[in-house]
Amino acid sequence: MNEVSQIGVTQEEDGVRLDRWFKRRFPMLTHGRLEKLLRTGQVRVDGARAKANVRLEAGQVVRVPPLGEEAAKPAPKPERNVSDKDAEFVRSLVIHKDKSVLVLNKPAGLAVQGGTKTERHLDGMLDALAFEGERPRLVHRLDRDTSGVLVLARTARAAASLARAFKQKDARKIYWALVVGVPVPRQGTIDLALTKQGGPRAERVFAAEKGDENARDAATHFSTVAMAAHTLAWVAFMPLTGRTHQIRAHAAAISTPIVGDGKYGGVNAHPGGEIPRKLHLHARSIDIAHPDGGRLFIEADLPPHMKASWKLLGFDLRDAEDAFAGLEE
């Protein structure tokens, strides 16, 4: 690209940040060079100077100055080979599909993204969910051992809309857990800042001490749905913030660790008997603003090991209706 171009923002790009728009259109353009182009006014939106974080609107026109052949090159497409078995598996997880959104019921034990020693993960299977459109995008996360509702965006516009909803806390997420002990009181809010610590267990968070500069506010509503002999309890959690391992750390902080969560509950998290040792934490539902208007409400069935525990303890799913009614009022 050796001349000035005027490029219109498409409907699918509505709501995307300007720097991310450039990253998608011109992935070989470095961030530093883009910042210089913005700073010197060579990049403009509808004729006006713009900053990297401005969100574009469909129909706007972006002035793109000459970038040179190298910067204008499209990014090489990564090779993603999804086996027939994995493609069939990931498609079986879909519990909702429309033109903008996919929702999966993620199984426990499947990582959302890859990492050290994690070769099989959901992100590596997303090509199988492209169907007739784009490769879907992750807009939030679940821990590897947490099951349940996971929302994917099918377009860039939908991804930007969903990201805004999460950022503006316009998403009501409810998790179900089996905990050791019974919360006192039975319903309330855990308001406890969390911090990460270094070392080999860096992915673990702790209650922050006063004055900790790395502390991040964290708050979680909780409501006890049912009890089993005052030794185990079915608790519904509603996180008001989205910190790493927030529910797990908060549950342990009120002396009711989640069953199977040895990382935060130690040996106390394994009650024994016929209760499986797997983590009993499930993202049961989400209520979020839909990119195309209105609301999206989805519930996900319990994973097999939690179904077995619910059956063993005689819990009735209907008991969880309006678990937070009194608290939210």
Side-chain angles (χ1 to χ4, degrees):
M1 179 181 288
N2 294 311
E3 56 185 32
V4 174
S5 298
Q6 303 287 341
I7 302 177
V9 177
T10 69
Q11 189 65 43
E12 296 305 318
E13 295 168 333
D14 183 61
V16 174
R17 282 172 48 132
L18 180 59
D19 53 357
R20 291 174 184 161
W21 183 89
F22 266 94
K23 189 67 178 174
R24 290 169 183 163
R25 292 263 188 166
F26 307 103
M28 304 305 287
L29 178 67
T30 65
H31 180 74
R33 187 172 174 211
L34 173 60
E35 285 289 351
K36 184 177 180 180
L37 293 173
L38 290 166
R39 196 166 53 248
T40 56
Q42 296 182 67
V43 169
R44 293 178 177 256
V45 177
D46 283 350
R49 286 174 175 259
K51 293 184 177 181
N53 63 354
V54 69
R55 292 196 177 274
L56 300 173
E57 298 178 7
Q60 288 184 317
V61 176
V62 180
R63 179 190 187 276
V64 181
L67 301 178
E69 291 184 7
E70 185 63 28
K73 281 183 180 179
K77 291 187 177 180
E79 291 186 14
R80 298 188 179 100
N81 297 315
V82 184
S83 68
D84 291 342
K85 183 178 179 181
D86 278 346
E88 182 180 359
F89 164 72
V90 75
R91 288 169 186 158
S92 75
L93 305 181
V94 176
I95 57 175
H96 172 83
K97 175 185 172 185
D98 60 46
K99 68 178 184 179
S100 299
V101 178
L102 289 174
V103 183
L104 310 183
N105 185 356
K106 187 190 85 66
L110 176 66
V112 172
Q113 290 183 300
T116 306
K117 298 180 181 179
T118 303
E119 295 182 359
R120 186 174 185 266
H121 49 85
L122 183 62
D123 191 38
M125 305 178 193
L126 292 186
D127 279 349
L129 297 180
F131 300 110
E132 68 280 359
E134 303 176 37
R135 184 178 194 269
R137 298 162 170 82
L138 295 165
V139 293
H140 69 125
R141 309 286 186 270
L142 289 177
D143 290 347
R144 177 200 295 266
D145 294 319
T146 302
S147 58
V149 171
L150 186 71
V151 179
L152 305 174
R154 299 191 69 189
T155 66
R157 183 188 66 81
S161 175
L162 291 167
R164 280 198 302 273
F166 280 112
K167 185 176 181 179
Q168 296 169 1
K169 296 182 172 58
D170 191 13
R172 185 179 188 265
K173 295 182 287 183
I174 293 178
Y175 291 72
W176 285 358
L178 183 66
V179 305
V180 179
V182 179
V184 178
R186 303 287 173 79
Q187 186 184 73
T189 302
I190 306 163
D191 192 350
L192 180 66
L194 300 172
T195 186
K196 289 184 180 180
Q197 293 187 4
R201 304 184 75 180
E203 281 303 307
R204 193 173 179 220
V205 297
F206 300 83
E209 296 181 1
K210 189 174 182 180
D212 186 342
E213 295 180 354
N214 297 317
R216 303 189 72 187
D217 292 339
T220 308
H221 287 331
F222 68 93
S223 182
T224 305
V225 178
M227 297 177 292
H230 292 276
T231 58
L232 297 170
W234 167 13
V235 179
F237 290 97
M238 185 195 303
L240 305 180
T241 50
R243 309 306 180 204
T244 299
H245 296 177
Q246 176 175 316
I247 295 174
R248 296 166 63 182
H250 276 176
I254 61 171
S255 301
T256 55
I258 296 173
V259 168
D261 191 7
K263 176 174 262 187
Y264 289 96
V267 295
N268 294 331
H270 304 296
E274 297 181 56
I275 301 293
R277 289 175 64 89
K278 289 184 176 181
L279 182 69
H280 282 58
L281 179 61
H282 177 69
R284 169 62 175 176
S285 67
I286 192 167
D287 183 332
I288 190 170
H290 194 287
D292 300 328
R295 306 290 300 181
L296 173 68
F297 175 74
I298 296 290
E299 291 182 328
D301 288 341
L302 289 170
H305 70 282
M306 289 181 69
K307 280 184 178 179
S309 295
W310 260 235
K311 183 177 180 180
L312 178 68
L313 299 171
F315 291 155
D316 187 331
L317 299 186
R318 292 171 295 183
D319 290 341
E321 293 180 8
D322 301 321
F324 294 97
L327 189 60
E328 289 188 298
E329 288 175 4

